[in-house]
Amino acid sequence: MTSRPVRDGARLRLALIAGTVRPERCGVSHYTIRLAQGLRAAGLDATIVTTHAAARALPAGLAVGALDRWGLRALPALARAVRFLHPDLVHVQYAPASYRFHRAIALLPIALALSGWHGPLITTAHEYGGWAWEPALVPTSLRRRLVGLGARHGWWDRESGLLMSHSQAIVISNATALASLEAWLPGARERACEIPLCANIDVAPIARDQARADLRQRFGWPDGCPVLAFFGFLHPVKGLETLLDAFAVLRRAHSPARLLILGGTESLSLHGDQAAAYLDGLRAAARAAGIEDRLVFTGYLPAEEASCLLAGADLAVLPFNHGVTLKSGSLLALLAHGLPVVASASEPPEPVLADEGLARLAPPRAPAALAAALAALLGDPAQRERLARAGKAYVAHLNWPATVERHRALYAQLIAARAAPISGVRPPVPRASKPRALD
């Protein structure tokens, strides 16, 4: 580790635990960096604690490297790094892929206690409900009984182990996330605090007419042709196979239409040969469907460049296999760019998307239905304009200054309570246009 940083004793000190910080492969990484930078700008002493490799890649002073790789042996080093920083609070950014699906983070509360650090622990559940914490040395039948017993008493849960059950606050982004959390950790509602996500890239200052012309010229597409945009990391759960099939159907009715698939294939959960093979498979599917000359895979692009391309598109499509919710930074970015969105419906449907008309919903894994929804929207300029206005109005209240302020309020409340249960924080049912601030 580097030498101990010099601090102003009046500033609240915060350690942000992150599995890794690679924004080119992970939206959670981008969020963590923006949060740390925003908190510092707001007067907090925030330091990211992560792997040595990730810390070296970040701006000087923003992060401390504590370990080489995740595993049980990393816990003592992580606890020592926390003691080294002597923070007032520890805030874990939880997404299993960022920890390489290692179970060590599940035992962090024990490691911190053994190291002598006993301050408030906070966990942000960026992802939750899709992975089970299953110690290999414990027989399956006994493990199930132990998990059920622990969950009933609030001792641990089957995904995050001790992490969330021993956190004084659990930050979630929407009502769907709260439902997943309560299903595995009864009683979590009392400690849940909603801080809505905001767009994962800023909107570039470019006129739409200029962006439209630049986009079509860049790829040699006809002037004025309709452009559909997918934005986000490419992964089998994103429904890209469904999108390619739907676009093949759509082009029969809208032959000039083009498809922009904007995002990198390399991610924390799909990398190396696997990522290359997946992209090759998508290209082969496009060739087989006869649409190879009508679409572009851009790969990962810097934020401003990606924003300029999105500004030139006509509508966006997110055909996720399990449906789209407000925990998708890609969705919020598309809304911020004023793009009408066709999205696959989650089950149950995301309340805000379903009730507030922020997107046109289609069933997941249904190419014909997705093509019909896209065709209907392409043929209805008035509806596209209504969706674009509604989306921009919703995300206007979701920005980094507001996100930072909500975190500041939560930290202040926890420091004042000194690990007592949070009072005055209610579970989330946000209005689309006015997300509720913390009490």
Side-chain angles (χ1 to χ4, degrees), residues 31 34-35 38-39 42 171 193-199 202 394-411 433-438:
Y31 180 96
R34 291 290 297 265
L35 177 61
L39 291 170
V171 176
C193 171
E194 185 195 6
I195 301 181
L197 293 180
C198 51
D202 295 329
Y394 178 77
V395 298
H397 300 274
L398 304 178
N399 51 60
W400 277 105
T403 297
V404 168
E405 184 53 38
R406 290 180 177 114
H407 279 86
R408 277 169 45 94
L410 174 61
Y411 299 154
S433 58
K434 295 181 180 180
R436 187 178 58 254
L438 292 171

Side-chain angles (χ1 to χ4, degrees), residues 169-323:
I170 304 171
V171 176
I172 54 174
S173 62
N174 58 76
T176 303
L178 178 61
S180 297
L181 186 63
E182 282 203 299
W184 285 15
L185 186 60
R189 177 179 293 264
E190 297 176 3
R191 291 174 289 124
C193 171
E194 185 195 6
I195 301 181
L197 293 180
C198 51
N200 52 17
I201 62 171
D202 295 329
V203 178
I206 185 172
R208 186 167 292 277
D209 287 346
Q210 183 64 53
R212 289 175 58 82
D214 290 349
L215 168 62
R216 287 152 181 80
Q217 182 179 16
R218 174 171 176 167
F219 299 116
W221 291 343
D223 292 342
C225 70
V227 175
L228 288 61
F230 170 92
F231 176 57
F233 290 99
L234 279 56
H235 191 277
V237 303
K238 299 293 184 70
L240 288 158
E241 295 82 359
T242 298
L243 174 57
L244 295 179
D245 289 342
F247 186 68
V249 174
L250 177 71
R251 66 171 295 217
R252 301 187 191 115
H254 294 270
S255 57
R258 298 294 190 271
L259 177 60
L260 179 69
I261 300 180
L262 202 169
T265 311
E266 288 264 359
S267 65
L268 295 182
S269 54
L270 191 70
H271 48 87
D273 292 342
Q274 287 182 324
Y278 181 63
L279 181 58
D280 288 344
L282 292 176
R283 293 187 186 279
R287 285 195 299 272
I291 56 174
E292 184 182 22
D293 61 338
R294 302 300 179 97
L295 60 82
V296 167
F297 293 92
T298 69
Y300 180 83
L301 296 176
E304 185 170 1
E305 186 177 355
S307 176
C308 289
L309 291 178
L310 290 177
D314 294 285
L315 61 86
V317 54
L318 294 177
F320 297 177
N321 288 345
H322 302 292

